[in-house]
Amino acid sequence: MCGIVGYIGDTQAADLLMEGLSRLEYRGYDSAGIAVLNGNGLDIRREVGKLRNLAKEVAVNAPKGLIGIGHTRWATHGRPTTTNAHPHTDTLGQLVVVHNGIFENYLEIKHELIKDGVIFLSDTDSEVLAHLVARSYTGDLRLAVQVALSRMHGSYAIAVLHQDHPDLLVAARNGCPLILGIGAEENFIASDIPAILNHTRQIIYLEDGDIAEVRQRSWSVFNLQGERQHRDQTTIEWSLVAAEKGGYDHFMLKEINEQPTTLAQTLGGRMGEEEGRVYVDEFGITDEQLRRIRQIVIVACGTSHYAGLVGEYYFEQLARIPTTVEYASEFRYRKPVVDGDTLIIGLSQSGETADTLAAIREANNLGGLTASILNVQGSAMSRETQGTLYMRVGPEIGVASTKAYTGTVASLLLVALHTAQVRGHVTADFVRETLGSLRQVPSWIEETLAEVGAIQDLAAMLHTFRNCLYLGRGVNYPTALEGALKLKELSYIHAEALPAGEMKHGPIALLDADFPVIAVATKSAVYDKTLSNLKEVAARDAVTIALGTRGDERLAEVVDRVIYVPETPEIISPLVNVVPLQLLAYYVATKKGCDVDQPRNLAKSVTVE
Ligand code: M6R
């Protein structure tokens, strides 16, 4: 999704803007631009495609000036072209605007402005704001932005620069992330922390409805009525190295390999093995409320949704609470049955996914209890739910989610164990035993990562196929879904996942020698049934690959290839079993020469509905 950077200080702005934008590349984009106030007016540069195209243009004749704004655009309204790239100007070219989000009523206002004689140069909804600010401007830029925004409906993070105000950046947010970075003799705005972490660790999270005035040595925040707001500064502890590749070819590979560490972070301080209990107070739902709830609804998208399906299994099996997992994008359009005894859990790495946020808001409106499991601190969803359990896996830069998946699943298991214990369905001994197994997960994942050679061989064989079917059962059906999502989003190979028993009810018709099947067939309560399903596949000449438990010779007799993982308790197995499937998708994609960290058409945080 789009990225915004702004700078005011005593250094050439263009350099800092380009650096900041490069650190936001992970968000996904298809064009980029910067605008710098150079003493005579605005110097604007925009290019389609990768940031290097803009960097080339800037390198030839860099805009000179100490204040500027920059933007990476992920097209929503209008194709990825230079004229649609941000920043956008007003008709006189006196001000520029960058925008992340969608102005839902832009057409109505655009028509009104066209009637007044305004000529639009782009197809974007964002350009409307530039003209609207110009029309409201009478010398006070913040006030003009405030008046203009009061006309716009929708989500936004914006930054505005005016040639009459070489000492002022105006920024605002509603529904899209935006932070201020406070430096010495310089200040920043950005969509996300890595953009400015090289220069400051002092951050202010803007809230929905905030408008900030940012100057070289000061900043102030107002609401949309012009009243001053108090905002606290936060010190960021993340190292920049943690947000960079750390020696791996891609962020994604680094993030897959980080999982033993990130899971230890997720679990750290939350496992009371001696007492046989779990500490998840930040989740924000009291024991009394946990005893009272009659149903759980998990809302999430993509990978987070699949993690939620594992959570469904946990809440039902352990806590005996009816649980459903909803696509967040569907939830509020189907008149969900929610009351004060319904717990709605939002799952999101970014905490900014528009569909999940909208579902949580709907749940709040309906009077449900809401909580979230998130990764990005201070993100919008944390402010809209009663409590947030952070998965603590650190910045996830690769567009394809990996460590956030395992972080979410582990967090769900902790919450489900606690809920089950509070409701009297599991004993302290059971909790102690499960926590003991959870403690071993980092080393089980280390063992699994060591299978990389076998996975690379498999990838070399698989990368020429055009379709692939994943099978799983029980708690590992979501593992199959997540494996298929990883393969399709990274390698563009069509991949689907089915509960293994469902295959014979139709999809088996697809199978032949050109349609490989990958099954999660580790030891579990449904192992024998999965083995029978695999025999059905093998009889159709399909190449059969299975994820099996180390030492399982029987499986090797049925399928063509086996990737072995360590034996784990079934309840824990999704945390380990997904890892080889992440690696497989990664190596198939790199074998095909695909851009694994930024697959085509994808964005890291989908902040539009
Ligand atoms: O930030 P979120 O967890 O809310 O994001 C949800 C999905 O957009 C995300 O998981 C997406 O499916 C990833 N590309 C999957 O790798």
Side-chain angles (χ1 to χ4, degrees):
M1 207 56 44
C2 308
I4 290 176
V5 185
Y7 175 77
I8 181 164
D10 49 14
T11 305
Q12 286 302 321
D15 298 340
L16 290 157
L17 297 176
M18 292 304 295
E19 182 200 332
L21 291 180
S22 72
R23 303 219 185 275
L24 294 179
E25 280 193 287
Y26 71 91
R27 295 170 70 86
Y29 67 102
D30 39 46
S31 61
I34 60 170
V36 171
L37 268 177
N38 63 12
N40 298 316
L42 286 158
D43 190 343
I44 303 170
R45 310 295 172 85
R46 301 182 296 179
E47 287 292 335
V48 175
K50 291 288 178 195
L51 205 55
R52 59 176 171 268
N53 301 345
L54 181 66
K56 257 190 229 157
E57 155 72 20
V58 169
V60 173
N61 176 18
K64 300 275 183 298
L66 307 178
I67 174 170
I69 54 180
H71 188 264
T72 45
R73 173 175 186 256
W74 187 73
T76 55
H77 293 63
R79 293 177 56 71
T81 60
T82 312
T83 44
N84 285 335
H86 298 215
H88 293 289
T89 62
D90 65 317
T91 307
L92 296 176
Q94 293 183 326
L95 66 88
V96 275
V97 162
V98 290
H99 168 221
N100 174 12
I102 288 181
F103 291 127
E104 280 160 13
N105 60 336
Y106 85 103
L107 269 180
E108 173 197 325
I109 297 185
K110 186 170 180 174
H111 290 144
E112 183 186 311
L113 290 165
I114 289 171
K115 264 196 214 146
D116 285 354
V118 172
I119 296 170
F120 277 80
L121 301 177
S122 78
D123 307 316
T124 65
D125 53 335
S126 313
E127 191 185 347
V128 168
L129 184 70
H131 297 298
L132 213 49
V133 174
R135 201 168 72 165
S136 314
Y137 179 73
T138 53
D140 181 335
L141 184 58
R142 190 213 355 128
L143 185 61
V145 171
Q146 184 182 311
V147 172
L149 286 177
S150 69
R151 298 282 325 273
M152 305 305 307
H153 303 157
S155 57
Y156 57 77
I158 60 141
V160 186
L161 202 59
H162 194 295
Q163 65 175 29
D164 292 351
H165 299 273
D167 59 343
L168 176 64
L169 287 172
V170 175
R173 78 158 270 171
N174 185 49
C176 294
L178 200 64
I179 56 169
L180 308 185
I182 309 306
E185 302 292 310
E186 60 184 3
N187 286 320
F188 302 80
I189 57 176
S191 297
D192 200 0
I193 294 163
I196 54 179
L197 202 54
N198 244 349
H199 303 281
T200 180
R201 294 184 167 274
Q202 296 305 311
I203 300 296
I204 289 142
Y205 293 103
L206 293 183
E207 296 185 8
D208 284 352
D210 282 353
I211 303 186
E213 282 187 352
V214 184
R215 300 176 195 275
Q216 187 183 351
R217 297 183 188 86
S218 66
W219 57 272
S220 338
V221 178
F222 302 83
N223 63 15
L224 284 169
Q225 288 70 49
E227 295 156 343
R228 200 178 274 266
Q229 302 296 299
H230 173 81
R231 294 286 170 263
D232 288 327
Q233 245 170 263
T234 308
T235 305
I236 297 300
E237 310 290 351
W238 287 354
S239 72
L240 191 56
V241 176
E244 291 179 347
K245 285 186 200 157
Y248 289 96
D249 287 347
H250 297 95
F251 283 114
M252 184 189 172
L253 188 57
K254 170 175 170 268
E255 287 158 6
I256 293 171
N257 280 279
E258 275 174 353
Q259 288 175 108
T261 312
T262 57
L263 275 166
Q265 285 168 192
T266 305
L267 302 171
R270 291 169 172 162
M271 303 200 295
E273 278 151 288
E274 277 185 20
E275 315 86 283
R277 59 160 298 190
V278 173
Y279 296 95
V280 285
D281 297 355
E282 316 98 281
F283 191 62
I285 307 295
T286 64
D287 289 357
E288 203 272 316
Q289 288 170 323
L290 286 177
R291 274 182 214 107
R292 211 182 63 214
I293 51 177
R294 282 185 297 158
Q295 62 161 340
I296 294 177
V297 181
I298 295 174
V299 289
C301 303
T303 286
S304 295
H305 179 96
Y306 296 149
L309 291 171
V310 184
E312 176 184 29
Y313 179 97
Y314 291 156
F315 283 115
E316 293 196 340
Q317 299 283 316
L318 298 174
R320 309 302 299 151
I321 303 175
T323 303
T324 50
V325 187
E326 301 278 352
Y327 285 111
S329 55
E330 290 291 312
F331 179 70
R332 69 193 175 123
Y333 300 109
R334 49 184 296 261
K335 296 198 178 156
V337 182
V338 166
D339 59 18
D341 292 337
T342 306
L343 170 62
I344 297 93
I345 307 176
L347 306 179
S348 178
Q349 187 285 130
S350 62
E352 301 283 349
T353 298
D355 287 321
T356 313
L357 261 177
I360 286 292
R361 284 179 187 146
E362 177 71 4
N364 281 328
N365 289 339
L366 293 169
L369 295 168
T370 55
S372 50
I373 294 176
L374 309 175
N375 188 34
V376 177
Q377 281 186 30
S379 50
M381 215 174 299
S382 68
R383 294 193 290 273
E384 310 241 358
T385 47
Q386 197 170 314
T388 297
L389 187 72
Y390 284 106
M391 62 186 85
R392 306 195 293 217
V393 300
E396 190 179 66
I397 307 291
V399 166
S401 189
T402 51
K403 59 181 179 172
Y405 177 79
T406 45
T408 310
V409 171
S411 304
L412 283 163
L413 182 50
L414 291 178
V415 175
L417 271 176
H418 176 65
T419 309
Q421 191 166 28
V422 164
R423 290 169 72 103
H425 289 291
V426 296
T427 61
D429 278 346
F430 177 85
V431 173
R432 197 172 291 120
E433 193 188 322
T434 310
L435 295 183
S437 301
L438 265 174
R439 198 164 285 289
Q440 292 188 65
V441 168
S443 62
W444 283 329
I445 294 185
E446 294 282 9
E447 271 184 59
T448 308
L449 289 166
E451 294 294 320
V452 63
I455 295 168
Q456 282 169 327
D457 287 350
L458 193 55
M461 185 270 284
L462 273 182
H463 84 283
T464 54
F465 286 95
R466 299 188 59 199
N467 299 290
C468 198
L469 181 65
Y470 285 68
L471 300 176
R473 292 189 84 128
V475 74
N476 278 299
Y477 168 49
T479 310
L481 284 163
E482 175 58 5
L485 177 62
K486 290 285 90 79
L487 190 72
K488 68 185 133 190
E489 70 181 332
L490 292 170
S491 72
Y492 319 137
I493 292 174
H494 167 239
E496 295 304 333
L498 288 173
E502 189 58 23
M503 189 192 52
K504 58 184 171 298
H505 297 288
I508 198 165
L510 291 167
L511 300 186
D512 61 19
D514 293 326
F515 212 125
V517 173
I518 302 176
V520 183
T522 46
K523 286 286 172 64
S524 70
V526 288
Y527 170 78
D528 285 328
K529 297 218 177 313
T530 308
L531 210 59
S532 306
N533 299 138
L534 278 173
K535 285 179 185 159
E536 291 157 11
V537 171
R540 268 79 194 175
D541 288 337
V543 178
T544 44
I545 299 143
L547 212 63
T549 304
R550 178 151 303 126
D552 182 357
E553 305 291 333
R554 231 170 115 205
L555 188 60
E557 285 164 19
V558 175
V559 301
D560 298 308
R561 297 208 191 190
V562 187
I563 299 289
Y564 285 113
V565 290
E567 182 161 8
T568 57
E570 188 170 356
I571 196 173
I572 306 281
S573 62
L575 289 166
V576 177
N577 289 351
V578 76
V579 174
L581 301 185
Q582 295 169 340
L583 282 173
L584 181 64
Y586 171 83
Y587 285 113
V588 169
T590 47
K591 190 88 191 149
K592 289 185 72 175
C594 301
D595 185 347
V596 279
D597 277 339
Q598 288 167 46
R600 70 186 181 205
N601 307 335
L602 295 185
K604 182 65 183 164
S605 356
V606 184
T607 54
V608 292
E609 285 183 53

